[in-house]
């Protein structure tokens, strides 16, 4: 009887120890699992926070680069500017040509008279014609789309082209007429009329 009572007590103690061990093992695993899960969660939160910081810093860097971007400055030399400068240079050269014109007598000339076709006046006249041609070329290149026949002659752009081309043609004709003649010929009026035509063309679009 006593043996069976002791045996039953041992069995009860063993059962209690087994239950306690099982409970302890579950608690231990739970304790080990919780920090790992919290660490993973913390790591995810840390990664999210890091990404948000990088995105924010990227946005701020982009905003600062946009804010510090300098304003656009057009180049000094463009096709339109070259056309304008060449037109003004043509007018200056035409004025210098008129000022340096020699006082040639178109009446009776001596038998041994020889015209000076390589003087300052002649060189300036040729320079004026070359500048006028360059002005027309750059104008056609940069402002071709501004010329429309359907807008009529009264359109400022059309008048600019008409007066400029006519003025350049008159100056070229006057220069050629004088250069090919062995005697003084009247050409100043045509050249001055051409120069005035180019001045009017520039004034229309100034």
């Amino acid at each position: 009887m006593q043996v069976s009572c002791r045996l039953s007590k041992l069995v009860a103690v063993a059962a209690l120890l087994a239950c306690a061990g099982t409970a302890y093992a579950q608690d231990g695993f739970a304790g080990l699992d919780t920090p790992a899960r919290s660490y993973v969660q913390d790591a995810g939160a840390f990664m999210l926070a890091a990404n948000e910081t990088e995105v924010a810093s990227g946005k701020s860097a982009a905003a600062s680069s946009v804010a510090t971007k300098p304003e656009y400055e057009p180049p000094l030399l463009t096709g339109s500017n070259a056309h304008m400068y060449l037109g003004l240079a043509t007018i200056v050269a035409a004025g210098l040509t008129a000022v340096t014109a020699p006082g040639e007598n178109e009446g009776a000339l001596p038998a041994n008279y020889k015209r000076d076709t390589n003087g300052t006046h002649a060189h300036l006249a040729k320079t004026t014609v070359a500048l006028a041609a360059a002005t027309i070329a750059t104008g056609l290149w940069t402002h071709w789309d501004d010329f429309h026949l359907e807008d009529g002659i009264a359109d400022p752009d059309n008048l600019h082209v008409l007066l400029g081309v006519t003025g350049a043609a008159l100056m070229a004709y006057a220069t050629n007429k004088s250069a090919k003649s062995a005697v003084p010929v009247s050409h100043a009026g045509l050249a001055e009329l051409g120069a005035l035509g180019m001045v009017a063309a520039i004034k229309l679009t100034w």
Side-chain angles (χ1 to χ4, degrees):
M1 185 69 180
Q2 291 179 354
V3 173
S4 62
C5 182
R6 288 179 181 176
L7 185 59
S8 62
K9 288 181 180 180
L10 288 174
V11 170
V13 169
L16 288 174
L17 289 174
C19 291
T22 304
Y24 176 78
Q26 289 181 353
D27 290 341
F29 289 138
L32 292 174
D33 185 49
T34 302
R37 289 183 181 178
S38 63
Y39 176 76
V40 172
Q41 291 176 355
D42 292 342
F46 177 74
M47 291 177 64
L48 289 176
N51 289 335
E52 290 176 357
T53 304
E54 290 177 1
V55 171
S57 63
K59 289 182 179 179
S60 62
S64 62
S65 64
V66 171
T68 57
K69 186 177 180 179
E71 295 182 0
Y72 173 75
E73 294 182 2
L76 294 177
L77 185 60
T78 62
S80 181
N81 288 343
H83 175 62
M84 180 182 67
Y85 296 145
L86 286 170
L88 294 175
T90 302
I91 300 306
V92 173
L96 293 174
T97 303
V99 170
T100 57
E104 295 180 328
N105 185 7
E106 298 177 11
L109 296 172
N112 60 350
Y113 176 79
K114 186 178 181 180
R115 293 189 65 204
D116 183 13
T117 57
N118 291 317
T120 303
H121 176 72
H123 286 303
L124 284 173
K126 294 173 184 177
T127 301
T128 302
V129 173
L131 288 171
T135 301
I136 293 172
T138 54
L140 292 175
W141 178 47
T142 57
H143 298 290
W144 177 259
D145 294 338
D146 296 336
F147 180 71
H148 302 288
L149 290 175
E150 58 270 16
D151 294 337
I153 298 177
D155 181 71
D157 291 327
N158 294 347
L159 271 178
H160 174 79
V161 174
L162 181 62
L163 290 172
V165 171
T166 303
L170 287 174
M171 288 190 295
Y173 174 75
T175 301
N176 186 63
K177 179 183 177 181
S178 177
K180 287 187 174 181
S181 177
V183 295
V185 292
S186 178
H187 64 283
L190 289 174
E192 292 170 2
L193 183 61
L196 289 175
M198 291 202 75
V199 170
I202 293 173
K203 186 65 176 176
L204 281 172
T205 55
W206 188 259

